Amino acid sequence: MPNPFSPDASIMMTRAAALRLFACLLLVPGGCSALAQPVPADTVHLGLAEAIGRALAVSPEVGAVAAERDFAEARAGLARASRFLTEFNFTSAHAPGPGLKNVGDTPVDALYLNPDVRNDWDDLRPFTRVEVEMLQPLYTWGELGGNIRAAQHGVAVESAAVQAKEAEVALRTGELYYNLLLAGALRRVAGEAGDAVARAKAEIEKLLDEGAEDVDEADRFQVLITEQELRRRAAEVEQKYLTAQAALARQLFLPEGTVVVPVDATLEPVAFTLEPLEAYTARALARRPELAQAEAGLAAREALIDVARSDYYPKLFLGASATFSAIAGRHRQRNPYVGDPFLSRGVQVGLGLRQKLNFAQTRARVEQARAAYEEVRFQAEAARQLILFEVEEAYRNVSIAREALAAREEALRLSKEWLRTEQINFDLDIGDTDNLIKAVQANLELQAAVYEAIRAYNVAVLRLQRAAGLLPGDAGNGTLVD
């Protein structure tokens, strides 16, 4: 089989015509038709900030953590409510009770003097008993205050957890958004390349039908092989595009069948000015929710130590109770030494002390609280170091991605210049087919590489913002980057 790209001038001229068409279509995307795109029935157009805002609004992950925060707020409310009337209960009982068998018609105010008076279980009457109990702590050596502080710090812990989860969801949504933009860009490149190959194939077949001497079957087979390779790549890109589209739609919990379309027409580098590393480190130490979570956890554990220590001392409280019971057919006896469980009333009010006497158990509980505090303290220190490392890693990744993007863009510019040079050489009949093919291939590969570098740079910026505690703070106003 003759080499289809041999330097024979006559063959080169014809092949050059097809290849020039191929190259023209690559360099002028507007002149090529993209792959046919079906119009979905339900389409949602979203920008990055809007996608993040929507993801945060519907995310069950955020909702689950927010529910834990709500539980902590309710627990704090319970702790505050326990400051007053720690115990305040109302109890009523209702049952049938015996009447009274009054032998000898004893006067009702002297029934207790007659030993023959008995309960009459054959004459049941409705019986009611009501009891109200109240206990108000007066001084607890820091137990009540410690529980309230611990509960309030618990709310801060859960609120910080919500912020951390929101940052995680926002970053994931941003990555999915840029994945979709990248897949769309690669889809357009594949479509343009496929269209160019189809035109080159048609041109060669036309020349073969016309009996052109400078075209042979090797040219046709070469184009057919290239067509199949592009077909494979186009199918791969198409499926990746649909996967990226579905992933973002799932992240946004859109109705089944809804298609997400980015409002950005093309994948472009985000506008971002990289500040010194120290600026991001300072922001991270001030804004990362994990650090706020650790600080609140430390404060809560410290308050619980005070609570455990309070059991060493007696708790002063005010107690009160009132009871009332009544049944029809019985008569209250005024003598204070005579009591009738079916007919009574009384009120008791007074001060009291409550002291836990097992001091060994109290000491163990204090030690447990101190150990829990130390555990959180070590976790906080570890979190601080990890966050500093994350910021530095994310910062350097932005620098790497920025330089990689600049290098890719320069390489793409050089490839376009190379391609134009090869075209000019062919116009002057001094070109080389292999060089033109290599230039076309390099241009295609670098187009894809530039898009991948843009996606990597944009994601690196998002990760730096997340590491510095800046995500998703500005998602609401649509300005994620400067």
Side-chain angles (χ1 to χ4, degrees):
M1 173 183 291
N3 185 353
F5 302 114
S6 65
D8 181 81
S10 58
I11 297 177
M12 285 174 57
M13 288 295 291
T14 305
R15 290 171 184 162
L19 289 170
R20 274 197 295 273
L21 175 61
F22 187 22
C24 176
L25 292 168
L26 290 173
L27 293 172
V28 188
C32 304
S33 62
L35 290 180
Q37 300 182 18
V39 179
D42 296 316
T43 303
V44 176
H45 297 268
L46 294 172
L48 175 59
E50 190 178 2
I52 290 177
R54 183 162 186 155
L56 294 178
V58 302
S59 172
E61 300 171 75
V62 176
V65 183
E68 295 181 5
R69 179 198 55 198
D70 294 342
F71 180 84
E73 289 178 346
R75 186 171 52 198
L78 176 62
R80 288 191 296 270
S82 298
R83 182 185 291 277
F84 303 102
L85 295 178
T86 304
E87 295 182 15
F88 192 24
N89 302 315
F90 168 85
T91 305
S92 69
H94 310 277
L100 194 65
K101 184 179 293 182
N102 185 358
V103 178
D105 293 330
T106 304
V108 295
D109 57 349
L111 289 172
Y112 66 96
L113 298 175
N114 186 353
D116 293 328
V117 174
R118 295 286 185 275
N119 289 327
D120 186 0
W121 291 100
D122 294 329
D123 182 17
L124 296 179
R125 306 292 182 86
F127 168 72
T128 297
R129 179 181 175 85
V130 175
E131 184 174 3
V132 178
E133 295 177 317
M134 181 271 288
L135 189 66
Q136 171 59 49
L138 298 179
Y139 193 76
T140 62
W141 297 90
E143 180 182 9
L144 287 177
N147 281 326
I148 293 173
R149 291 197 306 277
Q152 290 174 337
H153 291 307
V155 175
V157 169
E158 298 302 333
S159 298
V162 173
Q163 295 174 12
K165 183 58 70 176
E166 287 178 342
E168 178 183 334
V169 172
L171 176 60
R172 187 191 313 143
T173 305
E175 290 179 348
L176 292 175
Y177 183 83
Y178 285 125
N179 286 347
L180 181 56
L181 280 178
L182 173 61
L186 296 180
R187 189 191 197 196
R188 285 191 293 273
V189 171
E192 292 164 3
D195 191 55
V197 170
R199 288 171 179 258
K201 174 185 170 184
E203 181 70 16
I204 290 177
E205 288 180 346
K206 177 184 175 183
L207 294 174
L208 286 173
D209 293 340
E210 292 174 352
E213 296 180 354
D214 52 355
V215 180
D216 57 20
E217 287 297 321
D219 298 319
R220 190 170 68 87
F221 281 117
Q222 185 67 32
V223 173
L224 290 176
I225 292 172
T226 303
E227 182 183 35
Q228 293 307 309
E229 176 61 18
L230 284 176
R231 176 187 173 188
R232 182 190 67 80
R233 294 188 180 184
E236 180 181 350
V237 168
E238 179 67 16
Q239 293 306 314
K240 287 185 176 180
Y241 178 81
L242 295 176
T243 301
Q245 209 169 38
L248 185 55
R250 296 290 182 191
Q251 177 71 15
L252 302 180
F253 286 84
L254 295 174
E256 201 68 32
T258 304
V259 176
V260 181
V261 176
V263 295
D264 298 289
T266 59
L267 179 57
E268 298 289 343
V270 295
F272 181 72
T273 303
L274 187 62
E275 300 179 44
L277 173 61
E278 292 73 16
Y280 297 102
T281 300
R283 289 171 186 165
L285 294 178
R287 302 184 60 166
R288 278 294 290 266
E290 291 87 349
L291 292 178
Q293 192 175 18
E295 292 174 1
L298 272 178
R301 295 295 186 182
E302 191 173 13
L304 290 177
I305 293 176
D306 295 337
V307 172
R309 192 185 291 120
S310 69
D311 286 344
Y312 282 123
Y313 310 102
K315 313 292 174 54
L316 177 64
F317 63 88
L318 173 66
S321 68
T323 59
F324 173 81
S325 61
I327 185 171
R330 298 176 76 101
H331 307 282
R332 184 185 179 197
Q333 305 301 293
R334 297 291 181 180
N335 192 314
Y337 289 95
V338 177
D340 183 354
F342 295 102
L343 194 65
S344 64
R345 66 191 64 177
V347 176
Q348 297 86 36
V349 179
L351 299 175
L353 292 173
R354 180 177 290 172
Q355 171 68 61
K356 291 184 178 179
L357 298 178
N358 194 328
F359 294 104
Q361 291 183 356
T362 300
R363 184 168 56 253
R365 281 192 285 270
V366 172
E367 292 303 320
Q368 286 179 340
R370 285 175 176 165
Y373 173 86
E374 290 298 318
E375 178 185 4
V376 176
R377 187 173 68 83
F378 287 126
Q379 290 175 345
E381 181 59 27
R384 184 177 184 278
Q385 295 301 322
L386 179 61
I387 286 171
L388 292 176
F389 171 73
E390 286 180 352
V391 172
E392 186 169 351
E393 182 184 36
Y395 180 86
R396 301 195 187 289
N397 285 339
V398 170
S399 299
I400 294 172
R402 184 178 58 182
E403 292 303 318
L405 175 58
R408 294 294 188 187
E409 287 177 335
E410 178 62 16
L412 179 60
R413 188 192 65 79
L414 293 173
S415 76
K416 290 179 179 178
E417 184 177 341
W418 180 20
L419 195 52
R420 291 193 193 95
T421 302
E422 294 299 330
Q423 286 180 308
I424 293 172
N425 290 340
F426 268 96
D427 291 338
L428 299 176
D429 294 337
I430 58 174
D432 181 85
T433 305
D434 288 338
N435 289 342
L436 181 58
I437 291 174
K438 290 177 182 178
V440 170
Q441 291 175 341
N443 184 264
L444 280 173
E445 293 173 357
L446 285 171
Q447 284 189 54
V450 166
Y451 283 126
E452 291 172 351
I454 293 174
R455 185 264 177 194
Y457 173 72
N458 291 354
V459 170
V461 171
L462 284 181
R463 288 177 178 169
L464 176 59
Q465 289 186 311
R466 191 253 182 180
L470 304 176
L471 200 68
D474 297 328
N477 56 23
T479 55
L480 288 170
V481 295
D482 58 2

